[in-house]
Amino acid sequence: MTPPGTRIDAVCVGETMAVLHSAEPLTAGASLTLGTGGAESNVAVALAGLGHTAAWVSRVGDDPFGRIVTDAVAGRGVDVSGVAVDPDRPTGLYVKDTAPGGAGVLYYRSGSAASALSAADADRVWSRGARLVHLSGITPALSARAAALVEHLLTGHADDGALRSFDVNHRPALWPARAAAHILLDLARRADIVFVGRDEAERLWGTPTAEDVRAVLPEVPALVVKDAEYGATCFSGTDAVFEPSPEVEVVEAVGAGDAFAAGFLSGLLDGLPVRRRLRLGHAVAGEVLRSRGDTLQDPPRDVADIRAGGPVSR
């Protein structure tokens, strides 16, 4: 737990679940290993690994999975004192059946403790006095009251000085594009920093290029459009900075978007110029892409050079 009176750099709000991984298709009787995963806590863990004070606010069930999830995030240096334990609802669970012939990602999160997140949970966010509040488009898909929390956090306490970061993070398995498009666009328009994949923006809003995405989100102070292996563009006012993605041998892509967001936000918190924020995002994402885990294990070797403005490896 962060000492009382310490201002947290970032508070990340959203569901983290227990994860069961299979190395072979489930139908083949594969053995499962237990882990944890959640977009917002992934960002918190990566920020902590990059030297920032980070907190995670959520709800978990009063069950072994809830304790495993909370202990895992806390063990990575994240403040979890804002996590509430729900005595009536379970911790969410998902299964990664991603081997050849597998079923992909299977969610078991309906009625989870995190689906009961609501505007009443906002006090646990505001009480941290954070420089930055990070949210994603996964949370509003969980329930109407969870959506109300995200809207409240993006618009409430406007005088607190905290920046609002929002990763669109559309999950078709949770809600179809036709249901999500308007809600996610409205929430993104309220944020100070927005992350969105070019492909998901096209799926949601019919915007095939980064410039088209900017056209539907012209008022966002910092809009980052990610285009997978090609690179990422940050729009700030009338400026646009593109930074190509370094070549990476991809082991698994899950969690890479969260890692990119954490790297960019780390650069923002450190006052780096936009190009170095993008480079740091790519570097952190690359570390996750090279591993089977969803979260950053070790900071990239290039972090010091990127922060100092020196050469970076490609």
Side-chain angles (χ1 to χ4, degrees):
M1 178 175 174
T2 307
T6 301
R7 189 176 193 193
I8 292 281
D9 287 329
V11 175
C12 303
V13 185
E15 181 171 36
T16 295
M17 295 173 288
V19 184
L20 295 175
H21 304 256
S22 63
E24 300 175 354
L26 291 176
T27 53
S31 298
L32 297 171
T33 56
L34 178 62
T36 63
E40 298 83 5
S41 64
N42 286 348
V43 173
V45 165
L47 284 171
L50 292 166
H52 301 280
T53 52
W56 170 53
V57 170
S58 189
R59 298 175 69 88
V60 298
D62 186 12
D63 51 40
F65 286 144
R67 290 184 282 278
I68 289 167
V69 164
T70 305
D71 289 348
V73 176
R76 302 298 304 280
V78 175
D79 186 322
V80 297
S81 60
V83 177
V85 177
D86 190 319
D88 302 316
R89 298 175 181 85
T91 304
L93 170 72
Y94 74 93
V95 181
K96 292 171 68 174
D97 184 20
T98 54
V105 177
L106 306 171
Y107 290 107
Y108 300 92
R109 70 199 308 178
S110 178
S112 70
S115 72
L117 283 165
S118 71
D121 294 294
D123 286 346
R124 289 184 283 120
V125 178
W126 302 133
S127 66
R128 307 320 307 267
R131 296 170 60 195
L132 177 113
V133 175
H134 179 72
L135 305 150
S136 91
I138 296 173
T139 304
L142 301 181
S143 67
R145 52 187 166 186
L149 172 63
V150 175
E151 181 176 354
H152 178 71
L153 291 174
L154 286 172
T155 56
H157 281 230
D159 59 347
D160 64 359
L163 293 170
R164 269 57 163 189
S165 169
F166 182 71
D167 190 336
V168 171
N169 230 333
H170 174 236
R171 292 288 191 267
L174 295 179
W175 52 346
R178 64 181 180 276
H182 175 74
I183 295 171
L184 292 176
L185 184 62
D186 179 65
L187 293 172
R189 285 172 170 162
R190 300 168 187 262
D192 301 298
I193 308 108
V194 171
F195 300 95
V196 64
R198 186 207 57 76
D199 55 345
E200 69 177 332
E202 184 173 12
R203 181 173 67 243
L204 288 165
W205 308 317
T207 50
T209 69
E211 290 73 21
D212 292 329
V213 180
R214 183 55 166 174
V216 299
L217 290 168
E219 66 277 23
V220 174
L223 170 65
V224 181
V225 182
K226 303 169 292 178
D227 197 1
E229 70 271 22
Y230 299 107
T233 304
C234 180
F235 296 92
S236 304
T238 58
D239 296 331
V241 177
F242 173 79
E243 182 66 18
S245 300
E247 291 187 11
V248 176
E249 186 175 343
V250 178
V251 174
E252 187 176 286
V254 177
D258 308 325
F260 180 94
F264 184 94
L265 294 173
S266 173
L268 183 149
L269 290 166
D270 286 341
L272 301 185
V274 169
R275 188 170 300 279
R276 276 191 265 161
R277 296 178 202 171
L278 292 169
R279 287 184 177 180
L280 191 53
H282 285 316
V284 179
E287 291 296 313
V288 173
L289 287 168
R290 295 183 188 96
S291 72
R292 291 202 176 277
D294 294 4
T295 58
L296 179 70
Q297 296 301 312
D298 298 297
R301 289 172 295 177
D302 290 343
V303 166
D305 286 336
I306 294 170
R307 285 172 169 162
V312 293
S313 61
R314 287 292 182 191

